[in-house]
Amino acid sequence: MPISLSACDLVLLREAIALSAQSRAQGRHPFGALVADASSQVVTRAINDSLPPHGDPTRHAELVAVAQAARLLGPDALAGCTLYSSAEPCCMCAGAIYWGGIGRVVYALSERRLLALTGDHPENPTFSLPCRTVFACGQREVEVIGPALEDEAAVAHDGFWTRTAP
């Protein structure tokens, strides 16, 4: 499947990847996401805030970014927004994107590649469920572009999932 990303898409996707590195630098799982409006202006930015193993496991970067955007924008504006993510949204985040009314998703690291990086790490029991499959079960279309820039996105994960707990 050919990937059609504009120069602006690439800039924003790289910003989401940079957020994943920022998340890791703060001791959190290396995931980042942002929501941009129809004119490519960033509305919200988020890093993973779930803080496993003891924090709220639902605070994935995508979910946080969508929730913030939904508080700021109405349904028509959200439909024109794009969520950029350092990794393919999991099924929970895909649900949040769908229910939040976001119209487009661009992601870097595929769920399959993420699973290869995380292995069976107990803090990230990765689903083998592509976000496209989740969206296909809904009543409205969500455009999905990805994976793209996987090698760049994988850098924030290098050695992270093999480290020993403090």
Side-chain angles (χ1 to χ4, degrees):
M1 164 179 70
I3 296 174
S4 58
L5 291 175
S6 69
C8 187
D9 283 331
L10 290 169
V11 167
L12 293 171
L13 187 56
R14 284 189 169 109
E15 184 174 342
I17 292 168
L19 287 168
S20 72
Q22 177 186 337
S23 185
R24 179 179 178 159
Q26 292 182 21
R28 297 166 189 220
H29 289 176
F31 299 100
L34 62 88
V35 173
D37 66 16
S39 42
S40 300
Q41 297 301 305
V42 176
V43 176
T44 61
R45 292 173 177 84
I47 62 172
N48 186 291
D49 194 28
S50 62
L51 298 172
H54 305 294
D56 180 345
T58 67
R59 303 276 299 161
H60 289 189
E62 300 91 339
L63 196 147
V64 172
V66 169
Q68 290 171 348
R71 287 191 289 275
L72 296 171
L73 303 174
D76 289 342
L78 288 165
C81 286
T82 299
L83 177 118
Y84 293 88
S85 179
S86 63
E88 183 171 0
C90 71
C91 56
M92 175 182 70
C93 292
I97 292 161
Y98 179 82
W99 287 107
I102 302 291
R104 183 171 178 255
V105 172
V106 176
Y107 69 86
L109 199 60
S110 69
E111 187 76 11
R112 179 171 293 173
R113 178 90 179 262
L114 179 62
L115 178 58
L117 293 168
T118 63
D120 63 354
H121 196 285
E123 291 179 14
N124 197 48
T126 304
F127 273 91
S128 181
L129 182 58
C131 67
R132 285 177 175 86
T133 302
V134 175
F135 296 137
C137 293
Q139 295 180 6
R140 68 173 184 80
E141 185 177 337
V142 177
E143 180 185 0
V144 179
I145 299 175
L149 307 177
E150 283 195 279
D151 291 339
E152 290 180 39
V155 171
H157 295 268
D158 284 348
F160 184 86
W161 302 103
T162 57
R163 78 194 193 299
T164 55

